[in-house]
Amino acid sequence: MYIGGTGKPGLHHLLWEVVDNAVDEATNGYASHIDVILHKDGRSITVTDNGRGIPVDKHPTKKIPTLEVILTTLHAGGKFDSSNYITSGGLHGVGASVVNALSEELVATVKRDGATWEQRFERGKPVTTLKKISSSTRGTGTCIFFRPDADIFETVDFDAGIIAENLETKTYLNGALRIAFKNEATGEKYEYHHEGGIEEFLAHKVAEARIRPVHLDPFVLRQEAMQDGARVEVTLQWSESPRETLHSYVNGIPTPDGGTHEQGLKNAIRSAVRSYMDTHDLLPKKLEISAEDIREGVVGIVNLFMVDPQFQGQTKEKLNNPEIKGIVSSAVRLELEQFLNRHPSTGDAIATRVVQAAKARHASRAAATKVRRKTSVSHRLNLPGKLADCASTTPEDSELFIVEGDSAGGSAKQGRERATQAILPLRGKVLNAEQATLKKVMDNKELSNVVQALGCGIGDQLDLGKLRYHKVILLMDADSDGHHISTLLLTFLYRYMKPLIEEGFVFIAQPPLYRIDAAKQTYWALDDEDRERIMAEIRKRNKSTKIELQRFKGLGEMMPQTLKDTTLDPEKRRLLQVTIPDAERLITEQTISQLMGKDASARFEFIMNNVDEVEDLDV
Ligand code: 1YM
């Protein structure tokens, strides 16, 4: 409930809670350095800061040390007993007791007033009292060691890559902060410090995603002393990317679901750019421009600091304070419009980009509407000619096989279960959707056939309620061409029909590569390894058995009955479901843009970095 589950994201959330308390201390000007160590076991972590140290004196009402109260009482964070201890931001501290309760072991060490104090806990309960372990201590600070509870979490192995990325982001959002990270398992050490703050962060994001900006200097705003003591940092740059990428934070903590600060920013962008275009007569007549057109290609960061943020959901993914929308919007709107007026070449470049987005949207909308499948009553009216549809009209029972090539399509049509299995053969070239606009995508016959068959629309018009098949199965040859087509189709689905993947409707079929006949028995092997395993088993049973081996050149060579027995029949086949685990969303996005994007050097880099993992290269 407090950390958003017991999976990998929940596990890492424990660390963010501890780190955020240390970062808070830095944001408030009391700490400058944070040390994070991932220990050799990969399952325990120490976080140290050089701030004031969590208070160790007796708590005024509870009569036990404040440190113990903080680590054992839910909600005993910055807000408890505001007269005594409140972080000047009043931001955090609530998480420490949650981390403690969910850890097999936690040790808190505090340096304060010339002494060092220590207290140990197991599963949230103190196993020692707070003890003074030295009285000649220099400096101040807090150190928390914790080992998450293996009985609670599905996995307790931390991911060094996720940790490194999150820590580095903290240093972009707090320019003065230094964070050192050591991975004891590998001996790797990193030092993060980004004086350039969010400007440097934006440049990093743009470079990392290999996005081409349409103007040089980004818009940067640091607005102090807004209403209610809030302050905000914003930076924006428009690019050629067909997407809008906003990264929003509250007090340096990511809000991946946005919220009122992000809405305020979006409103400001819309009114400032529209007003600039109006004033300078840059709006073409008869072209309707939407807020989405104005934000297309924008890469932006917004970091809001405020005293009492209210979040929706326990894991603080979305900011909920209604007053913030107007505060952020009016702070940004005026400044952004002034920026555009002072930098007319930038303003004009952005205006051109907006017009381009609006024109492309009108063109794609027309194209997307053309291929939308008709409603269920007339659903057979607008189907691609090559589709062999199934009899059932119940999506839950229906499956669509997207098959490479007409000859394999023919075998599949004969081997399928007519009632529930539909076959769509692909013949022509599948377009790389990563490098194309929606209009281009819809002009590609193969992809528009897929969209038409699925019936649920595409892009912002996608409606899963209209999806005709609840299993969409890619069936390709088990060779490099087959893999290539699968990759292109997955890229398309990821970019234009992502909810299909997110809801678990997309699968990959696994046709066998070998048929093995021995002692009147038939076996199917998926790959070389599978083949070796099966043949070894046969020989173990009887050394002299005659073994016949057949390698399929492609699905087209397979008899319809064979295809049915090995790949189509729900009772016998093995399908791979395509998923994007939460913890891998970012890496998935990066991999697709590097591997499938326009920039050939990014692809080269990806291949060189991953060459060790490739067993079977076909060039
Ligand atoms: C490695 C984790 O928790 N540092 C930390 C936490 C606190 C303070 C300093 C602190 C805050 C205040 C006064 C204050 C916390 N204090 C509280 C509480 N690092 C880490 N460093 N003195 C010290 O807010 O006034 C909660 S967290 F509740 F005491 F205020």
Side-chain angles (χ1 to χ4, degrees):
M1 171 177 166
Y2 288 97
I3 54 165
T6 54
K8 204 165 153 188
L11 177 79
H12 289 81
H13 204 100
L14 296 185
L15 174 60
W16 314 148
E17 289 289 348
V18 178
V19 168
D20 286 343
N21 284 345
V23 172
D24 252 11
E25 191 65 358
T27 310
N28 292 321
Y30 299 107
S32 59
H33 234 100
I34 298 172
D35 258 300
V36 178
I37 300 170
L38 174 59
H39 294 297
K40 229 181 175 121
D41 60 5
R43 326 175 140 209
S44 57
I45 292 195
T46 299
V47 183
T48 312
D49 69 50
N50 64 347
R52 291 165 293 177
I54 298 180
V56 289
D57 53 353
K58 279 241 162 21
H59 184 265
T61 55
K62 306 226 165 156
K63 308 294 175 212
I64 53 169
T66 305
L67 176 105
E68 188 175 329
V69 177
I70 286 171
L71 285 166
T72 55
T73 322
L74 220 47
H75 294 305
K79 274 182 285 174
F80 95 109
D81 195 13
S82 52
S83 59
N84 269 291
Y85 297 111
I86 178 152
T87 45
S88 51
L91 310 173
H92 242 273
V94 285
S97 63
V98 173
V99 177
N100 196 15
L102 301 177
S103 293
E104 280 170 13
E105 186 186 3
L106 184 145
V107 183
T109 315
V110 166
K111 293 195 278 182
R112 216 179 142 111
D113 306 327
T116 305
W117 304 80
E118 188 183 277
Q119 187 168 18
R120 312 175 76 85
F121 302 82
E122 284 172 17
R123 300 197 157 88
K125 301 265 183 303
V127 291
T128 69
T129 54
L130 180 67
K131 288 194 183 120
K132 193 189 267 190
I133 55 169
S134 151
S135 32
S136 54
T137 300
R138 267 194 271 160
T140 59
T142 305
C143 172
I144 304 276
F145 163 89
F146 69 102
R147 182 156 31 81
D149 194 335
D151 291 344
I152 291 177
F153 291 95
E154 287 144 38
T155 165
V156 283
D157 295 317
F158 283 100
D159 182 326
I162 294 177
I163 297 176
E165 162 136 13
N166 186 292
L167 295 179
E168 183 160 31
T169 300
K170 300 273 173 210
T171 61
Y172 280 114
L173 297 171
N174 294 274
L177 182 63
R178 286 171 195 278
I179 301 186
F181 173 45
K182 182 172 178 193
N183 181 354
E184 280 185 348
T186 60
E188 283 164 294
K189 281 184 193 168
Y190 306 90
E191 221 4 284
Y192 303 118
H193 175 55
H194 294 287
E195 244 168 321
I198 57 165
E199 277 162 271
E200 208 180 321
F201 194 24
L202 182 83
H204 168 73
K205 287 276 177 206
V206 166
E208 183 186 57
R210 313 227 174 211
I211 288 172
R212 252 180 294 182
V214 297
H215 60 99
L216 267 181
D217 294 327
F219 165 73
V220 185
L221 169 68
R222 289 197 164 79
Q223 188 72 268
E224 307 281 333
M226 300 190 299
Q227 217 172 304
D228 299 339
R231 67 187 171 88
V232 75
E233 294 179 349
V234 173
T235 177
L236 300 170
Q237 189 168 26
W238 273 257
S239 75
E240 285 179 9
S241 160
R243 281 172 290 280
E244 162 191 1
T245 322
L246 290 180
H247 303 276
S248 62
Y249 303 86
V250 175
N251 300 324
I253 299 160
T255 40
D257 297 334
T260 46
H261 55 330
E262 205 175 291
Q263 277 168 14
L265 174 65
K266 286 181 178 177
N267 288 352
I269 295 175
R270 189 198 56 220
S271 12
V273 174
R274 194 180 279 283
S275 162
Y276 175 82
M277 290 178 74
D278 249 343
T279 317
H280 299 269
D281 213 10
L282 296 168
L283 283 168
K285 291 187 182 57
K286 288 193 188 154
L287 183 68
E288 184 202 321
I289 288 182
S290 72
E292 283 73 32
D293 297 332
I294 293 180
R295 298 197 312 270
E296 188 175 301
V298 81
V299 188
I301 291 154
V302 51
N303 188 18
L304 171 82
F305 293 90
M306 66 177 295
V307 175
D308 189 15
Q310 305 292 318
F311 297 99
Q312 232 170 29
Q314 290 290 351
T315 49
K316 307 180 178 111
E317 310 264 90
K318 187 172 183 184
L319 183 70
N320 215 6
N321 298 57
E323 72 282 6
I324 289 300
K325 192 160 129 186
I327 296 179
V328 170
S329 174
S330 45
V332 177
R333 201 189 74 89
L334 217 79
E335 294 286 334
L336 179 57
E337 197 176 338
Q338 275 178 11
F339 167 83
L340 297 174
N341 282 318
R342 271 193 234 117
H343 304 85
S345 62
T346 298
D348 293 356
I350 293 171
T352 307
R353 179 70 186 82
V354 170
V355 169
Q356 181 203 345
K359 285 186 175 159
R361 183 176 55 89
H362 288 294
S364 347
R365 217 158 240 270
T369 311
K370 215 169 59 196
V371 296
R372 203 176 323 139
R373 199 170 162 151
K374 295 276 164 28
T375 53
S376 58
V377 188
S378 58
H379 74 263
R380 282 166 202 286
L381 295 181
N382 204 19
L383 293 178
K386 290 188 292 175
L387 175 76
D389 207 358
C390 57
S392 167
T393 50
T394 314
E396 288 79 4
D397 302 336
S398 306
E399 304 181 339
L400 175 69
F401 283 89
I402 302 176
V403 186
E404 171 190 356
D406 275 342
S407 77
S411 303
K413 277 181 199 173
Q414 290 177 49
R416 70 177 169 145
E417 188 62 62
R418 236 165 216 293
T420 54
Q421 298 184 322
I423 310 289
L424 178 68
L426 296 181
R427 192 193 309 138
K429 203 166 139 37
V430 174
L431 182 83
N432 179 357
E434 180 68 13
Q435 304 177 9
T437 59
L438 181 56
K439 164 106 175 63
K440 273 243 173 69
V441 166
M442 293 324 320
D443 285 346
N444 179 256
K445 193 74 197 139
E446 308 309 311
L447 292 181
S448 79
N449 279 348
V450 170
V451 177
Q452 232 170 47
L454 294 175
C456 59
I458 180 173
D460 59 1
Q461 297 183 26
L462 188 115
D463 175 3
L464 282 183
K466 297 205 175 107
L467 180 63
R468 280 263 291 122
Y469 313 94
H470 278 194
K471 284 206 173 74
V472 179
I473 305 167
L474 312 188
L475 173 54
M476 307 298 150
D477 285 344
D479 59 16
S480 61
D481 282 342
H483 297 327
H484 186 204
I485 299 174
S486 294
T487 309
L488 291 168
L489 284 169
L490 287 173
T491 303
F492 163 69
L493 293 171
Y494 179 84
R495 281 291 173 229
Y496 289 95
M497 307 185 89
K498 203 175 194 174
L500 241 64
I501 299 180
E502 288 169 334
E503 296 301 320
F505 294 135
V506 181
F507 297 84
I508 297 173
Q510 291 185 284
L513 192 57
Y514 296 101
R515 175 187 172 128
I516 304 164
D517 283 289
K520 293 195 181 136
Q521 283 250 38
T522 304
Y523 307 83
W524 310 101
L526 287 179
D527 50 29
D528 293 352
E529 199 183 315
D530 216 20
R531 179 199 63 199
E532 286 308 312
R533 188 185 53 76
I534 294 169
M535 296 199 359
E537 247 171 57
I538 297 171
R539 287 204 192 94
K540 215 165 88 190
R541 261 179 267 141
N542 183 349
K543 256 191 162 161
S544 54
T545 314
K546 189 165 160 278
I547 299 180
E548 254 180 74
L549 185 69
Q550 183 194 356
R551 187 184 202 277
F552 298 113
K553 284 214 195 67
L555 292 166
E557 269 192 359
M558 242 183 239
M559 297 298 285
Q561 186 62 37
T562 308
L563 191 62
K564 178 183 176 131
D565 288 345
T566 58
T567 317
L568 303 179
D569 185 350
E571 299 292 322
K572 299 183 188 155
R573 73 187 180 196
R574 271 180 292 176
L575 296 182
L576 296 174
Q577 188 172 37
V578 181
T579 61
I580 313 168
D582 270 351
E584 286 163 31
R585 293 188 85 86
L586 194 75
I587 188 81
T588 307
E589 175 65 37
Q590 281 171 359
T591 306
I592 291 189
S593 75
Q594 279 189 16
L595 204 54
M596 308 301 290
K598 271 192 186 144
D599 186 344
S601 67
R603 197 153 32 248
F604 181 73
E605 204 175 289
F606 179 91
I607 294 169
M608 294 315 277
N609 286 339
N610 292 281
V611 74
D612 289 348
E613 289 173 35
V614 178
E615 287 162 9
D616 179 15
L617 189 63
D618 185 346
V619 280

